[in-house]
């Protein structure tokens, strides 16, 4: 739970619609690296982030709304880079706090490569429990430079 609170604080602390930001954070007790890269959304309904976990780099989306998810604790996510066509619907895991969405590990590398090349990404999250949708746009300038600060980022 402490991990989620730390991530939430880092994501929420980015209050302006701006470029990607690296935030260094090390647990003073365990020495665990909790650093992240965050990009606030234009409307601040959603926040986008990259963080290292024991399984490697992952992409997270934080919703400012409480999400219920389906019976598998998943929500539906679509995204589109710049003026490209939107992606197909992806089913991504919802964290136990019902606010964080973890990208499927198989999607992280491709999404990150596309994000580095793009100027912006628009993400739409749909909660299948009530069909509530949140959509936000993220400016991606400075993303690659910020990601290079994460220990688990591999180009």
């Amino acid at each position: 739970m402490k991990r989620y609170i730390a991530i939430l604080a880092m994501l929420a602390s980015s209050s302006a619609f701006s470029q990607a930001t690296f935030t260094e954070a090390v647990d003073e007790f365990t020495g665990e690296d909790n650093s992240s890269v965050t990009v606030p959304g234009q409307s601040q309904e959603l926040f986008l982030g990259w963080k290292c976990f024991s399984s490697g780099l992952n992409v997270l989306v934080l919703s400012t709304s409480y999400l219920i998810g389906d019976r598998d604790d998943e929500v539906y996510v679509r995204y589109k880079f710049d003026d490209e066509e939107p992606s197909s619907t992806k089913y991504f895991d919802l964290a136990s706090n019902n606010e964080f969405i973890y990208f499927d590990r198989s999607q992280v590398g491709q999404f990150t490569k596309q994000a580095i090349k793009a100027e912006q990404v628009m993400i739409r999250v749909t909660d299948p429990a009530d069909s509530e949708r949140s959509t936000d746009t993220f400016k991606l300038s400075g993303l690659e430079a910020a990601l290079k600060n994460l220990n688990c980022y591999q180009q």
Side-chain angles (χ1 to χ4, degrees):
M1 188 63 178
K2 289 181 184 178
R3 176 177 287 183
Y4 296 126
I5 293 169
I7 296 169
L8 176 62
M10 287 183 274
L11 291 173
S13 68
S14 302
S15 61
F17 181 51
S18 62
Q19 68 178 24
T21 304
F22 170 75
T23 303
E24 185 173 16
V26 177
D27 183 298
E28 62 186 44
F29 185 73
T30 65
E32 181 181 8
D33 184 359
N34 289 312
S35 301
S36 64
V37 171
T38 57
V39 184
Q42 183 176 19
S43 70
Q44 295 187 6
E45 281 188 60
L46 301 173
F47 293 81
L48 176 61
W50 283 259
K51 184 171 178 357
C52 297
F53 290 94
S54 58
S55 59
L57 184 67
N58 207 332
V59 177
L60 304 168
V61 176
L62 167 69
S63 173
T64 56
S65 301
Y66 184 84
L67 301 168
I68 300 166
D70 63 14
R71 67 175 178 245
D72 294 323
D73 293 325
E74 293 178 326
V75 293
Y76 310 150
V77 177
R78 294 184 75 195
Y79 49 83
K80 73 177 218 167
F81 292 97
D82 298 327
D83 294 326
E84 295 178 12
E85 290 295 314
S87 70
S88 60
T89 300
K90 315 288 184 193
Y91 302 88
F92 291 151
D93 290 332
L94 187 57
S96 60
N97 69 359
N98 292 73
E99 293 174 341
F100 282 102
I101 301 154
Y102 292 101
F103 271 45
D104 184 273
R105 295 277 303 132
S106 66
Q107 303 287 318
V108 171
Q110 184 63 30
F111 180 87
T112 302
K113 286 178 188 172
Q114 286 181 276
I116 288 169
K117 293 178 184 175
E119 290 183 26
Q120 67 181 25
V121 63
M122 183 180 290
I123 296 178
R124 171 170 287 164
V125 174
T126 303
D127 189 339
D130 58 10
S131 299
E132 188 76 23
R133 293 192 305 195
S134 297
T135 306
D136 219 331
T137 302
F138 305 87
K139 297 286 185 190
L140 299 171
S141 61
L143 179 60
E144 187 171 25
L147 286 171
K148 288 179 179 179
N149 292 300
L150 293 176
N151 292 332
C152 65
Y153 175 68
Q154 299 173 5
Q155 300 177 19

